[in-house]
Amino acid sequence: MGEATEKARAAKRASAQVGLASTEARNAALESMAQALRDHAADIVAANQQDMEAARARGTKESLLDRLMLDEKRVNAMADALVDLVNLPDPLGQVQVERELYNGLQLKRVSVPLGVVAVVYEARPNVTADAAGIALKAGNAVVLRGGSLAERSNKAIADILHEAAVSAGLPAGCIQCIESTDRSQTDELMSLHGVVDVLVPRGGAGLINHCVEHSKVPVIETGTGNCHVYVHESADLAMARDIVLNAKCRRYGVCNAAETLLVDASVADAFLPGVLADLAEKGVKLHCDDQAYRCAFAVEGADLEHATEEDWATEYLAPEIAVKCVGGVEEAISHVNEYGTHHSEAIVASDAAAQDLFAAQVDAAAVYVNASTAFTDGGQFGLGAEIGISTQKLHVRGPFALEALTSYKYVVRGEGQVRA
């Protein structure tokens, strides 16, 4: 029996007690966990520094280093996210349906925990705290399988959180962290149908596809983010410029960052030189179609090349963007639906008909009208800390947190009824 099986079974033993714990008990555990993160921030940052040094020695790219890095501010943000969960309504025990049947039976559909939630993720140590907190708030035990880049950070955080949760009254084993960096432990975890109730992968396309293709445990698929901003000919161009810069440059290594800019050809000459100069000034490499290339050619200092078919389908997670001119909203929609990953898409337009057509026909978990794609985030949507952003259509879609980690049961009360 490998580490994954051992720890998943420990979580399974703990899960029943977590699911029966009162709202007050689970909230007290979250408050204890938040305070423990603050009290041990220096220890967490020290462990993270070791991970950062090892990652740099391996030649890890800057976008991943940004995801990996923890400082005291980020540790406090993790603690704040746990406190935010305390203030959210308890997702358990909610009566979703209540009615009397034809035979006098009283039927209720009530929300209940899933049981054991496994989260497999890459170089994001903040996920350790977010996933543990969300799982416990929703009455689940959790098994955490972080990536090797964050090995020391994840262990430090998970140990601190587990000790705090148990000291507050939750059962030992409620937070489990797989320490082995052997990839076989991920496959072992995915094989534990009947022990693990759901698996959530967070990371790049390779990790997600591997889990979807090989897991025997049900998967909530979090998706990659090949996100677009489309500037319609009716757009307020100053607004569009701000939105493009925010969507692309706020943070390069996140899944809600814009990777392609689409612009109506009729306003390309008026819009593109300015926004492409802004992007070039920030060090963003420009992959442009022919018309956009002509608009960018005079931009001083631009890192510029002609776009290829591959660029339209690329999630760069880096200071790079593809730029294409289109013939109108219908062509923009067609392009997004062909190359997008059903994550987050934006239109900048004053024309109401164009707004409505884009919002109705683009196939994505989140569609923005005159706003940046950067808002696709559980905290920004008022959900508290998120466990992921789902691009699938079954069970849950978009940023998901507490309610996505619950199921329901039917409770039926009678007075001796039997069926003929």
Side-chain angles (χ1 to χ4, degrees), residues 333-361:
I333 292 167
S334 177
H335 182 96
V336 169
N337 286 341
E338 180 175 357
Y339 296 102
T341 53
H342 315 297
H343 192 294
S344 301
E345 310 294 354
I347 179 174
V348 187
S350 298
D351 183 87
Q355 294 174 359
D356 292 345
L357 190 65
F358 190 89
Q361 294 191 7

Side-chain angles (χ1 to χ4, degrees), residues 379-394:
Q380 294 294 315
F381 279 20
L383 303 173
E386 70 182 29
I387 200 165
I389 297 172
S390 170
T391 54
Q392 67 186 32
K393 297 181 181 180
L394 294 179

